[in-house]
Amino acid sequence: IGNLDRAQADIEAIEGGFLQQHVLHGTAPGGAAVEMPACIVATAAATSSGPRITRIDEYLDPAATAALAGSR
């Protein structure tokens, strides 16, 4: 995906980490615009130097991949 950019929608603290919802914008190889809603769920743990992210799970809306499938 070319011209990849992320528009941040929301970050919310949850128990043990945070949730981030955003939309990825870009251009498929065939020139079609791609707009893909995404969600990151991050788990954090306390360390001696402060909190650290220990796990990241990212979820993408598969319906938004249609522009990519058509560019092959």
Side-chain angles (χ1 to χ4, degrees), residues 27-33 71:
T27 307
S71 67

Side-chain angles (χ1 to χ4, degrees), residues 5-32:
D5 189 28
R6 174 184 53 93
Q8 186 173 317
D10 190 32
I11 297 177
E12 183 178 333
I14 59 174
E15 186 176 336
F18 66 90
L19 172 78
Q20 176 181 309
Q21 295 173 300
H22 58 275
V23 178
L24 296 171
H25 298 273
T27 307

Side-chain angles (χ1 to χ4, degrees), residues 1-2 4-5 23-29 31-36 64-68:
I1 298 178
L4 191 60
D5 189 28
V23 178
L24 296 171
H25 298 273
T27 307
V34 176
E35 186 172 292
M36 187 175 302
T65 62
L68 295 174

